[in-house]
Amino acid sequence: MKTFFSLLQKKLFAENAPLVMLVGLCPLLIASKTLISGLVMAAAISSVLIFSCVVISLVRKLIPDNVRLVAYMIIIATLVSVAEIMIRAYLPTHYVNLGIYIPIIASAGIVFAQADNVASKNGIVVSVIDGTLTAITFSIVIITVSFLRELLGSGTILSHRMIEEEYGMSFALSGGGGLVILGMLAAVVKKINSIKKSKKEGE
Amino acid sequence: MNKKRFSFKFDSDEKIKFSLSEKKKNIIYSVLTLFIVAIVSAALLSGVNELMQADERNKNDADMLEVMKRILSADEYRKTENGFEKTKEILAVYEAYEGEEIKGYCVQVEVKDYTDTITLMVAIDNEVKVQAVEIVAMSENAGKGIKAKDPQFLDAFKGKDNYITANKGTPKDKNQISVISGATTTSKAVTEGVNDAIAVVSQIKADVASVEKETGEDAPETNEIPTETAPQEVAPETQTPTEGNVGEGGSAQ
């Protein structure tokens, strides 16, 4: 359990996928206008990440090295399509909102990096743990960003009004606003990282 | 370049031949692997899709039913295809039955503001008065347009029975509503959708009236139906199902 937390900490700060490695930004920016769409996207990406880790770590020895990227692409795209069908079936209202953006997960670097860096080199247990941690990291980031964007932009949280309508900053809802919020979060994580590093050096 | 490679291939050196065949084996193995991966993926996808599709259709109908129950409560809702001109904006028209009597209509309309598609459910009663308007689905990308979900705006449609115009400022006319500031295009699109729904229901009403007259006494066919829609509506096969409903409705009246 202790190693799990230390691993999570490492994933959250030193190797934060969206904020330090800057992968998976496309779905992150697209689906973070409202908290609920952020939650749906987090669920979709998490399931795709974990299942792709399972499948790829299982078949990694069967796939020749020179076509591995293509094969991973097909596997990831299949899992994304399954996720899309599931969302269409069980969350139709969110499918209307997010539908055309779900397939973009297939091209998101976060899944692909995970598949090629971890799942193709490790056994199933290690890859699933690592994939889960990446999924948790991504979910935390997208939930934070979408929370801030919805609160600042529309003044609501899950469609409950929090701030008077006239104080809403519609800039936060635009793409630029999303990038600015993301940048601020990245700065915070970077600061924490540098503090940690200097502490380590001091010891 | 091409020629050189060609000649190289046929150079019958023992070693080169061996490495070539090894490479070929690799290629065949890779192609086969990819083929199998693709086949398995396709099979999985089609299986999942097949499983989900039926479920999805039921779910969608159930969702619509829930929305209709909320905005126009009745015992039963029956989808109707007759008596109106089909356009791509009108997704579905439901008759709301209370017992055997038609209580009103629910029209599912799809409208576009400048970027997004909005699906509306409009409940209209027998006097062609709007009972309620609900936004069933709206793309998240709407951004500012999301304001159109404001119940105050949607309530303003209640009781309207004619072509509605959306203007800025306070409404002066009975069939006028004020647009949401900052979401003018969306407000106008929603208003257009409600107008479409009103038009459809008045067409159905006109059709019912004309069929009624026809069954009663041999009245001319195209009575209150405006212009080009007329020939379609009085086509013999579209009449027969409506007649039954009209008989029931008429006797109750």
Side-chain angles (χ1 to χ4, degrees):
Chain A
M1 213 58 212
K2 209 179 165 189
T3 49
F4 181 82
F5 278 117
S6 69
L7 269 174
L8 180 62
Q9 215 171 27
K10 193 175 147 206
K11 277 271 173 196
L12 266 180
F13 297 109
E15 289 175 15
N16 191 314
L19 296 180
V20 177
M21 287 153 71
L22 299 178
V23 288
L25 292 187
C26 193
L28 205 162
L29 282 176
I30 278 170
S32 59
K33 270 185 192 163
T34 56
L35 186 52
I36 192 79
S37 66
L39 287 170
V40 173
M41 185 56 100
I45 281 216
S46 301
S47 55
V48 169
L49 258 173
I50 294 166
F51 280 110
S52 71
C53 278
V54 171
V55 175
I56 288 169
S57 68
L58 282 179
V59 300
R60 72 186 197 279
K61 279 174 187 158
L62 300 174
I63 292 172
D65 216 37
N66 50 352
V67 291
R68 69 177 202 288
L69 291 181
V70 188
Y72 297 166
M73 206 74 195
I74 297 174
I75 291 168
I76 291 169
T78 310
L79 290 168
V80 170
S81 302
V82 171
E84 190 191 353
I85 292 169
M86 292 289 178
I87 289 174
R88 199 172 68 198
Y90 293 113
L91 305 165
T93 47
H94 301 299
Y95 183 75
V96 177
N97 294 339
L98 278 176
I100 51 170
Y101 302 129
I102 298 287
I104 225 165
I105 301 172
S107 67
I110 188 165
V111 186
F112 212 68
Q114 189 70 23
D116 200 35
N117 293 342
V118 181
S120 69
K121 291 176 188 130
N122 295 297
I124 180 161
V125 179
V126 175
S127 357
V128 167
I129 289 174
D130 204 273
T132 315
L133 290 174
T134 311
I136 290 172
T137 314
F138 184 85
S139 305
I140 288 173
V141 173
I142 194 172
I143 287 167
T144 316
V145 173
S146 54
F147 176 84
L148 288 174
R149 282 180 81 179
E150 190 180 345
L151 183 66
L152 296 176
S154 333
T156 57
I157 294 298
L158 294 173
S159 305
H160 296 295
R161 187 145 292 288
M162 291 286 161
I163 302 175
E164 287 295 315
E165 205 175 343
E166 55 263 39
Y167 299 121
M169 295 190 288
S170 54
F171 175 63
L173 290 178
S174 68
L179 271 175
V180 168
I181 289 172
L182 197 72
M184 287 173 179
L185 281 182
V188 169
V189 168
K190 188 155 190 183
K191 186 69 197 169
I192 292 172
N193 277 342
S194 72
I195 288 172
K196 272 188 172 176
K197 208 177 171 187
S198 62
K199 250 186 195 170
K200 230 177 212 173
E201 276 165 5
E203 274 167 11
Chain B
M1 184 72 194
N2 225 356
K3 254 182 191 169
K4 209 178 174 185
R5 203 195 280 165
F6 194 69
S7 64
F8 172 70
K9 236 179 184 172
F10 283 89
D11 216 24
S12 53
D13 188 301
E14 206 55 35
K15 237 181 181 175
I16 287 172
K17 216 178 180 182
F18 178 71
S19 77
L20 262 179
S21 70
E22 185 83 327
K23 210 177 171 185
K24 253 184 197 161
K25 234 187 218 165
N26 262 338
I27 288 173
I28 289 170
Y29 182 66
S30 310
V31 168
L32 267 181
T33 330
L34 274 186
F35 185 69
I36 290 165
V37 167
I39 291 263
V40 170
S41 308
L44 181 76
L45 263 188
S46 69
V48 171
N49 197 26
E50 199 83 339
L51 267 177
M52 288 297 146
Q53 223 155 37
D55 205 50
E56 202 181 299
R57 222 171 290 130
N58 291 341
K59 194 115 191 164
N60 197 18
D61 283 354
D63 279 0
M64 287 303 128
L65 203 69
E66 206 173 273
V67 171
M68 287 190 289
K69 278 232 167 85
R70 203 160 44 217
I71 62 177
L72 186 73
S73 64
D75 298 339
E76 201 190 338
Y77 302 89
R78 290 183 209 158
K79 207 169 182 169
T80 176
E81 307 260 294
N82 309 314
F84 62 94
E85 185 192 8
K86 282 192 193 80
T87 52
K88 68 176 197 311
E89 284 88 21
I90 306 297
L91 297 182
V93 180
Y94 297 88
E95 296 167 321
Y97 281 89
E98 187 108 301
E100 278 300 312
E101 202 175 337
I102 296 184
K103 199 184 170 198
Y105 296 86
C106 287
V107 187
Q108 197 187 343
V109 205
E110 194 180 77
V111 286
K112 279 204 167 100
D113 68 354
Y114 58 100
T115 46
D116 306 288
T117 311
I118 305 163
T119 312
L120 301 169
M121 186 64 99
V122 186
I124 296 174
D125 68 3
N126 268 329
E127 282 108 53
V128 203
K129 265 191 186 147
V130 177
Q131 285 292 307
V133 178
E134 188 160 319
I135 292 178
V136 182
M138 180 188 239
S139 136
E140 189 247 2
N141 222 20
K144 289 180 179 176
I146 220 109
K147 286 182 189 163
K149 282 193 171 168
D150 184 8
Q152 215 180 337
F153 169 69
L154 295 177
D155 280 347
F157 286 105
K158 219 173 252 178
K160 303 278 189 275
D161 55 2
N162 216 324
Y163 191 83
I164 308 166
T165 46
N167 292 86
K168 283 184 184 154
T170 45
K172 300 172 193 108
D173 200 303
K174 188 176 158 259
N175 281 315
Q176 206 174 6
I177 59 162
S178 53
V179 297
I180 305 169
S181 62
T184 312
T185 325
T186 315
S187 316
K188 286 198 168 157
V190 171
T191 311
E192 269 320 298
V194 177
N195 282 334
D196 284 346
I198 294 175
V200 160
V201 173
S202 47
Q203 269 182 43
I204 293 175
K205 280 280 159 200
D207 188 51
V208 167
S210 79
V211 173
E212 219 163 66
K213 255 186 191 165
E214 211 176 278
T215 44
E217 62 214 59
D218 282 326
E221 291 174 326
T222 55
N223 225 356
E224 290 152 68
I225 304 153
T227 58
E228 40 172 341
T229 61
Q232 257 188 13
E233 284 165 10
V234 282
E237 68 265 30
T238 52
Q239 264 181 22
T240 30
T242 340
E243 251 171 335
N245 290 346
V246 170
E248 288 152 16
S251 66
Q253 274 168 18

